[in-house]
């Protein structure tokens, strides 16, 4: 949807726009409790971002210009894991500390 994330119920004909930033948002994953969504967003360099679904407030989880993609929630919803080139410019799995767990 032109770089924005949208949500639509299966039986509905209307959709709700979830993101509308300057980058291209993709690879979304809902937290197990359904309150948060984590996604990759490209704006210069790729970064993983978590957004609270009810308010739309976003928190950038990665910094520094590395390529950060494929963010996923852990089954218990306490951590996010993503693929990043932040360590020696090769792809590794990383997990930042989320503000909702602080």
């Amino acid at each position: 949807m032109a770089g924005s994330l949208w949500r639509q119920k299966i039986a509905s004909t209307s959709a709700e726009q979830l993101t509308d930033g300057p980058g291209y948002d993709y690879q979304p994953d809902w937290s197990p409790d359904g309150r948060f969504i984590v996604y990759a967003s490209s704006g210069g360099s790729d970064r993983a971002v978590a957004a609270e679904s009810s308010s739309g407030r976003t928190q950038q989880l990665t910094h520094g210009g590395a390529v950060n993609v494929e963010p996923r929630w852990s089954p218990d919803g306490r951590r996010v894991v993503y693929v990043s080139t932040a360590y020696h410019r090769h792809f590794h799995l990383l997990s930042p500390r989320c503000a909702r767990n602080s």
Side-chain angles (χ1 to χ4, degrees), residues 5-16:
L5 299 179
W6 293 72
R7 174 175 51 188
Q8 180 176 356
K9 293 183 180 181
I10 293 175
S12 175
T13 58
S14 64
E16 172 190 5

Side-chain angles (χ1 to χ4, degrees), residues 18-43:
L18 299 175
T19 64
D20 186 24
Y24 188 91
D25 303 331
Y26 59 104
Q27 300 174 332
D29 190 39
W30 284 101
S31 62
D33 64 8
R35 292 179 37 213
F36 296 86
I37 187 170
V38 67
Y39 57 94
S41 181
S42 62

Side-chain angles (χ1 to χ4, degrees), residues 73-93:
W73 287 100
S74 64
D76 64 5
R78 296 185 62 192
R79 299 191 72 88
V80 171
V81 176
Y82 59 95
V83 177
S84 178
T85 61
Y87 183 70
H88 293 288
R89 292 185 278 167
H90 295 282
F91 284 105
H92 293 87
L93 288 176

